[in-house]
């Protein structure tokens, strides 16, 4: 493992986008930063600008209004960049599937690296997903303690 | 030998590692005060977390926005980094003299502080984003407010020592620290340092909830890595300046006859004081919330400037 790989695994800066979500998934994402889960211990930081971020967390069915904006945000991120679709809506429309005004998932608009299902997914699932994305394997429970 | 001292110990490399340690301490303090644990898995107790952040940012792609001033955006971050990096080598660490002492180096250090803000505003304007433009406007207003109390509070130890060099100010504190005769000056210096470092309650130019990332919004990759490192180094620089001017620098309670032992002990005294001042700033910063820009200007102009003037008068009477 080179120094670069080590640094990329230990420091994960995320930026979350609410693309027409009901806000449920966003609250669960923010839950992961609270004292109970505290993802800062594994190096995850919520950054204010997409240009600073490594991982883009997208929630919600991407509707027509959000489509171009989501693309713009994705293009502003610098390489290497990853996209995580959080929640049932982001995976394929969720309960709104079939409605005339909603998109059907993030992967119709931008390439997605990882899907986290759930309506909304628990914070544990989100942490598990981010770690799996970066390390390529489930986190070692001993290392987390 | 002098070059080695400048580059390694007690020069640049030493202070860059302290800058990383400061960021770790800042994040740990904030986390503990909020009931969290903070960085844990990068190195022992997460000590290497800032290093990992820096290496990761430095290895990322750098995006240069279309409408930005490309020349400034490319060469600005190294210059911005140079400001505290040059200023910090004037701080005496192992003895009463710094590596390249000069009879008037206090003035140079004040110039470096002003230059750092100038570079920040240049970088923010050259990125040409709307959030960075708003942030630079706030930065300049804040700069005009805190600069005068900062300089007035720095004058008090210089008058007490009768000397304009940092080495002279440290030697004059061998009997008692200037915080005893200039406590208000110390308090004003710490508050003005918070404003210089854009930390709460004065994080108005980099307010996350209002203007995205402040003047750093459009930075990415290498430039962001250097800007973040510079902010941490400025943190160390201002804390070191507070230690030098008010807390006796490397002076300690016990003197040794062996010169090497004395150097080691001086460094330890200096580090203990440095981290105590840093910790004080972290606690204040975590405990307080942001104020508005007009409130900050009012605080500095109507309360802190008269207070530092009063401190100056008191010091002249004492002397």
């Amino acid at each position: 493992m080179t120094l670069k790989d080590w640094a990329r695994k230990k420091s994960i800066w995320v930026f979350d986008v609410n693309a027409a979500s009901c806000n449920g998934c966003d609250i669960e994402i923010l839950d992961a930063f609270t004292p109970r889960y505290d993802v800062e211990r594994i190096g995850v930081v919520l950054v204010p600008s997409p240009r600073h971020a490594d991982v883009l967390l997208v929630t919600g069915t991407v509707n027509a209004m959000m489509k171009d904006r989501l693309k713009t945000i994705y293009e502003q991120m610098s390489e290497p960049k990853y996209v995580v679709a959080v929640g049932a809506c982001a995976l394929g429309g969720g309960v709104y599937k079939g409605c005339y005004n909603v998109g059907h998932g993030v992967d119709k608009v931008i390439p997605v690296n990882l899907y986290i299902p759930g309506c909304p997914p628990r914070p544990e699932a989100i942490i598990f997903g981010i770690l799996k994305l970066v390390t390529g394997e489930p986190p070692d429970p001993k290392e987390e303690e | 030998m002098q070059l080695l001292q400048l580059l390694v110990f007690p020069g640049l490399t030493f202070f860059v590692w302290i800058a990383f340690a400061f960021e770790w301490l800042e994040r740990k303090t904030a986390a503990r005060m909020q009931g969290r644990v903070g960085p844990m898995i990068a190195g022992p107790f997460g000590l290497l977390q800032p290093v990992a952040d820096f290496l990761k940012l430095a290895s990322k792609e750098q995006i240069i926005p279309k409408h930005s001033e490309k020349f400034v955006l490319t060469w600005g971050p190294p210059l911005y980094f140079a400001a505290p990096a040059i200023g910090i080598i004037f701080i005496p660490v192992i003895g009463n003299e710094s590596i390249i002492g000069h009879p008037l180096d206090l003035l140079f250090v004040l110039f470096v502080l002003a230059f750092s803000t100038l570079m920040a505003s240049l970088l923010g304007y050259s990125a040409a984003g709307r959030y960075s433009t708003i942030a630079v406007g706030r930065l300049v207003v804040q700069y005009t407010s805190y600069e005068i109390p900062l300089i007035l509070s720095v004058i008090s130890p210089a008058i007490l020592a009768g000397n304009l060099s940092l080495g002279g100010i440290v030697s004059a504190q061998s009997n008692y620290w200037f915080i005893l005769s200039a406590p208000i000056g110390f308090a004003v210096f710490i508050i003005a340092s918070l404003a210089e470092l854009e930390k709460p309650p004065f994080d108005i130019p980099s307010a996350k909830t209002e203007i995205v990332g402040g003047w750093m919004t459009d930075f990415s990759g290498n430039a962001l890595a250097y800007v973040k490192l510079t902010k941490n180094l400025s943190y160390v620089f201002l804390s070191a300046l507070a230690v030098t001017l008010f807390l006796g620098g490397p002076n300690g309670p016990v003197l040794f006859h062996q010169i090497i032992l004395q150097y080691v002990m001086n460094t330890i005294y200096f580090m203990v004081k440095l981290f105590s001042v840093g910790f004080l700033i972290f606690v204040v910063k975590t405990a307080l919330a942001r104020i508005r820009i007009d409130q900050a200007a009012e605080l500095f102009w109507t309360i802190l400037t008269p207070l530092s003037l009063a401190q100056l008068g008191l010091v002249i009477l004492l002397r």
Side-chain angles (χ1 to χ4, degrees):
Chain A
M1 189 167 65
T2 62
L3 205 60
K4 200 162 80 178
D5 291 339
W6 173 81
R8 281 178 184 172
K9 277 179 189 174
K10 299 292 181 190
S11 160
I12 309 151
W13 290 7
V14 303
F15 179 78
D16 66 327
V17 181
N18 181 336
S21 162
C22 71
N23 222 16
C25 299
D26 299 279
I27 288 174
E28 296 302 317
I29 288 173
L30 291 182
D31 263 0
F33 290 89
T34 53
R36 190 177 179 92
Y37 300 101
D38 188 24
V39 284
E40 201 189 354
R41 71 202 147 97
I42 51 173
V44 180
V45 177
L46 201 61
V47 290
S49 161
R51 288 190 209 260
H52 304 181
D54 309 307
V55 175
L56 185 68
L57 298 176
V58 189
T59 60
T61 70
V62 186
N63 60 16
M65 283 285 272
M66 271 313 280
K67 214 173 190 171
D68 294 337
R69 287 160 175 82
L70 185 62
K71 258 186 202 160
T72 312
I73 289 171
Y74 178 71
E75 281 157 8
Q76 306 229 343
M77 292 171 67
S78 54
E79 292 283 350
K81 53 188 172 187
Y82 303 98
V83 179
V84 177
V86 180
C89 296
L91 262 60
V95 292
Y96 304 105
K97 198 173 176 71
C99 286
Y100 72 95
N101 57 345
V102 297
H104 294 96
V106 180
D107 52 4
K108 304 276 192 302
V109 185
I110 52 175
V112 174
N113 298 84
L114 192 98
Y115 301 88
I116 301 176
C119 187
R122 287 187 62 84
E124 287 97 330
I126 295 169
I127 298 169
F128 183 83
I130 291 174
L131 277 174
K132 192 162 178 171
L133 171 80
V134 177
T135 58
E137 60 200 32
D140 185 5
K142 269 185 223 148
E143 204 182 11
E144 264 193 59
E145 272 168 14
Chain B
M1 187 63 193
Q2 205 183 21
L3 192 70
L4 195 72
Q5 274 189 333
L6 278 178
L7 289 179
V8 186
F9 180 85
L12 201 55
T13 314
F14 174 65
F15 278 115
V16 165
W17 281 104
I18 294 184
F20 284 134
F22 257 57
E23 196 197 334
W24 174 82
L25 188 68
E26 177 190 359
R27 284 170 74 166
K28 273 290 193 195
T29 315
R32 294 309 302 177
M33 283 176 76
Q34 293 167 353
R36 297 186 286 119
V37 286
M40 282 303 279
I41 63 162
F45 306 106
L47 262 169
L48 294 178
Q49 185 66 51
V51 185
D53 285 350
F54 178 79
L55 287 175
K56 182 211 66 180
L57 280 176
S59 72
K60 275 184 78 125
E61 176 201 7
Q62 186 181 349
I63 295 174
I64 297 193
K66 202 172 166 187
H67 302 292
S68 65
E69 188 61 52
K70 289 168 190 66
F71 180 77
V72 181
L73 218 56
T74 317
W75 295 105
L79 258 180
Y80 181 53
F81 176 74
I86 292 175
I88 211 158
I89 51 182
F90 286 97
I91 305 283
V93 177
I94 54 173
N96 282 343
E97 285 301 319
S98 54
I99 315 165
I100 40 170
H102 185 271
L104 295 173
D105 53 12
L106 185 61
L107 297 180
F108 184 76
V109 160
L110 290 178
F111 163 74
V112 159
L113 283 177
F115 181 74
S116 168
T117 313
L118 172 74
M119 275 322 292
S121 31
L122 257 182
L123 283 172
Y125 270 138
S126 65
R130 57 194 78 158
Y131 297 114
S132 40
T133 310
I134 296 173
V136 171
R138 292 179 175 200
L139 183 75
V140 172
V141 171
Q142 183 159 303
Y143 174 72
T144 52
S145 333
Y146 75 73
E147 184 70 0
I148 289 169
L150 182 77
I151 289 180
L152 283 177
S153 65
V154 164
I155 292 174
S156 317
I159 287 179
L160 278 170
N163 206 327
L164 269 180
S165 77
L166 293 174
I169 291 173
V170 168
S171 328
Q173 295 182 79
S174 52
N175 292 327
Y176 76 105
W177 297 352
F178 286 160
I179 190 176
L180 295 175
S181 45
I184 308 171
F186 179 70
V188 171
F189 185 84
I190 291 290
I191 295 171
S193 306
L194 280 169
E196 158 90 32
L197 297 165
E198 298 170 29
K199 293 291 174 194
F202 305 108
D203 61 338
I204 305 155
S206 54
K208 250 186 197 176
T209 43
E210 294 168 19
I211 44 172
V212 190
W215 57 268
M216 292 188 286
T217 306
D218 291 314
F219 286 75
S220 54
N222 216 346
L224 185 67
Y226 277 98
V227 166
K228 291 239 171 214
L229 180 63
T230 309
K231 297 206 105 182
N232 289 328
L233 200 63
S234 302
Y235 229 131
V236 180
F237 178 41
L238 278 162
S239 309
L241 211 54
V243 168
T244 309
L245 294 174
F246 294 99
L247 296 176
N251 285 325
V254 189
L255 286 176
F256 296 93
H257 294 295
Q258 256 191 319
I259 190 94
I260 298 291
L261 193 63
Q262 184 63 50
Y263 283 165
V264 171
M265 285 313 287
N266 278 344
T267 311
I268 292 173
Y269 291 143
F270 182 80
M271 297 291 284
V272 168
K273 289 173 190 174
L274 186 68
F275 276 90
S276 312
V277 172
F279 186 67
L280 177 73
I281 294 181
F282 302 147
V283 170
V284 170
K285 152 201 166 233
T286 314
L288 294 178
R290 181 166 59 243
I291 58 177
R292 285 198 316 270
I293 184 72
D294 59 314
Q295 290 170 327
E298 200 180 332
L299 173 72
F300 279 112
W301 279 109
T302 61
I303 300 176
L304 293 180
T305 307
L307 266 180
S308 46
L309 276 174
Q311 175 66 68
L312 205 59
L314 209 67
V315 160
I316 292 170
L317 281 182
L318 270 176
R319 190 172 142 76

